Amino acid sequence: MFLQEQFLGNSVQSWIIAGVIFCAGVLLIMALKKVLLARLKSWADNSDGTTDDFIVRQMQRSIIPLLYYGVFFGAVQYLNLHPKAARVIDVASLLYLTFIVVRLITDILRFMLMQYLSRQENGAEKQKQVRGVMVIVSIVIWVVGAVFLLDNWGFDVTTIITGLGIGGIAIALATQHILGDLFSYFVILFDRPFEVGDFIIVGDKIGGIEYIGIKTTRIRSLTGEQLVCSNTDLTNSRIHNYKRMERRRIVFRVKVTFQTPAGVLARVGDMMKEIIDGIEHITFDRAHMAAIGDYGPEFECVYYVASSDYLLYMDVQQQINLRLMERFEQAGIRFAHPTQTLFLNN
């Protein structure tokens, strides 16, 4: 019979069945692509998020081609192939699958990292900075995929892995300071001890963060010059971040003369409380005569400013000082200043 005739080691019937399997699979994938994928794409276009767009894009880029190849591979497996032809198909299949999987992993890592950065302050700037780092990460993933591929093809990858290990150690020793700053950059990126726009104090350096790079961070000091610090130095230091301050605690002292009557001294704390309660954005805590100093009684007052704005704090303190001077003048209270009284016995 015609169907039983042999052609390239397989009967005509086997070739027809393999062709039917391939055509049926292709038609099914095309229907799936036209119906399901089209609906998913329409749903993604009408939604606000980007995750659904990423899923649809990866289905078009990776899943659909993988399904096409799966149909081809399944149809070919029905045939009795020559060992060399079967070996070529196995090698090509492994190469294609490794390419698809490695590309999918790098795309997922990039998407997750970009999504994480987009939710942070100055996310667009951070995304630009990370693109260079993602190139290095992608190269490492592709190298690992290549080693996996060679190992499954039967090559001895021990020498390659040893060479990569020795080369990695040599590179790490030669660039240890750069790698240290790079890892510190990731610490700053994910732990977020400070961000662009924050006002910080590091040691004796004071200023606002202007730029966070892969190796260095740039700070604009109060005197105007730009300070360039390595990321490692910053992550190893104690940082005072005033941008994260929810409220500012203020302690100030006022000294009056010894000649102030005791009855008047008893009212100084109430005067301070009345003055502070009459100013917006601040909360009174306490006011006491804390000590008797060399030049007169010392009153200590504590209040809170409900903001981290330094200019607001200075405006508030100025109002307090002016009103305090006015009240002291009305009550006949004099501020103490460094003086000495000499008593002479005749």
Side-chain angles (χ1 to χ4, degrees):
M1 294 179 62
F2 173 73
L3 295 177
Q4 300 302 322
E5 292 185 5
Q6 297 293 314
F7 179 73
L8 295 179
N10 295 276
S11 64
V12 175
Q13 182 179 354
S14 298
W15 283 105
I16 293 175
I17 293 174
V20 170
I21 292 175
F22 178 75
C23 292
V26 169
L27 291 175
L28 182 62
I29 295 172
M30 291 177 66
L32 178 68
K33 182 179 178 181
K34 187 175 182 180
V35 178
L36 180 60
L37 191 59
R39 290 185 178 180
L40 288 175
K41 187 175 181 181
S42 177
W43 170 66
D45 292 339
N46 295 325
S47 63
D48 297 332
T50 57
T51 303
D52 45 9
D53 296 322
F54 173 77
I55 294 174
V56 172
R57 187 166 59 251
Q58 290 304 316
M59 288 185 66
Q60 293 176 325
R61 189 182 184 194
S62 302
I63 305 301
I64 297 298
L66 194 60
L67 290 177
Y68 278 125
Y69 188 81
V71 169
F72 167 76
F73 187 79
V76 169
Q77 291 301 310
Y78 187 80
L79 300 174
N80 184 20
L81 299 176
H82 189 275
K84 290 185 178 180
R87 176 62 179 169
V88 171
I89 292 177
D90 290 339
V91 170
S93 300
L94 188 60
L95 176 62
Y96 184 72
L97 289 175
T98 303
F99 172 78
I100 292 294
V101 171
V102 171
R103 189 177 67 177
L104 183 61
I105 290 175
T106 55
D107 288 345
I108 291 175
L109 286 176
R110 183 181 295 107
F111 175 76
M112 293 176 63
L113 185 58
M114 293 302 176
Q115 283 293 102
Y116 172 78
L117 295 177
S118 66
R119 293 191 295 268
Q120 296 186 11
E121 189 176 353
N122 301 310
E125 183 68 25
K126 292 181 180 179
Q127 287 177 343
K128 293 179 183 179
Q129 298 171 3
V130 168
R131 287 193 179 98
V133 179
M134 279 304 303
V135 173
I136 301 175
V137 175
S138 299
I139 292 174
V140 173
I141 295 175
W142 281 104
V143 169
V144 173
V147 172
F148 168 80
L149 189 62
L150 293 174
D151 183 53
N152 282 271
W153 279 348
F155 292 94
D156 185 10
V157 297
T158 305
T159 305
I160 299 176
I161 296 175
T162 303
L164 290 174
I166 295 175
I169 294 173
I171 294 174
L173 290 175
T175 62
Q176 55 182 330
H177 296 295
I178 298 177
L179 292 177
D181 290 329
L182 178 60
F183 285 117
S184 296
Y185 170 74
F186 282 109
V187 171
I188 296 171
L189 183 65
F190 292 107
D191 193 46
R192 300 169 62 189
F194 53 82
E195 295 180 340
V196 174
D198 289 3
F199 186 84
I200 66 171
I201 296 179
V202 183
D204 59 342
K205 308 301 181 184
I206 304 174
I209 302 294
E210 277 194 340
Y211 175 80
I212 302 174
I214 295 176
K215 188 179 187 306
T216 62
T217 295
R218 297 162 197 174
I219 304 172
R220 181 67 61 181
S221 71
L222 291 178
T223 52
E225 74 272 15
Q226 187 182 71
L227 304 175
V228 181
C229 305
S230 69
N231 293 332
T232 303
D233 290 342
L234 291 177
T235 54
N236 291 336
S237 304
R238 290 181 175 86
I239 299 174
H240 299 264
N241 192 334
Y242 284 90
K243 183 68 175 295
R244 307 286 175 83
M245 181 189 297
E246 296 182 357
R247 62 175 186 170
R248 187 186 296 268
R249 183 176 185 268
I250 308 300
V251 180
F252 72 96
R253 290 200 168 202
V254 174
K255 299 178 182 180
V256 299
T257 61
F258 281 115
Q259 288 75 23
T260 307
V264 176
L265 291 176
R267 300 198 306 270
V268 171
D270 295 332
M271 293 180 187
M272 291 181 170
K273 184 178 185 305
E274 292 175 5
I275 292 172
I276 292 175
D277 287 339
I279 300 176
E280 296 182 353
H281 308 298
I282 63 175
T283 303
F284 175 80
D285 184 30
R286 63 178 178 83
H288 299 90
M289 188 169 70
I292 299 177
D294 295 334
Y295 307 112
E298 298 181 8
F299 288 86
E300 184 178 79
C301 182
V302 180
Y303 68 91
Y304 293 93
V305 181
S307 173
S308 60
D309 189 353
Y310 186 78
L311 292 179
L312 176 61
Y313 151 63
M314 290 302 298
D315 290 340
V316 167
Q317 187 62 52
Q318 178 176 262
Q319 291 185 54
I320 293 174
N321 292 338
L322 292 175
R323 295 185 184 184
L324 197 59
M325 294 181 70
E326 182 180 352
R327 292 292 299 274
F328 277 18
E329 184 178 351
Q330 294 173 358
I333 303 173
R334 298 179 61 186
F335 290 98
H337 50 85
T339 57
Q340 289 184 342
T341 302
L342 184 62
F343 294 94
L344 301 177
N345 289 327
N346 188 0

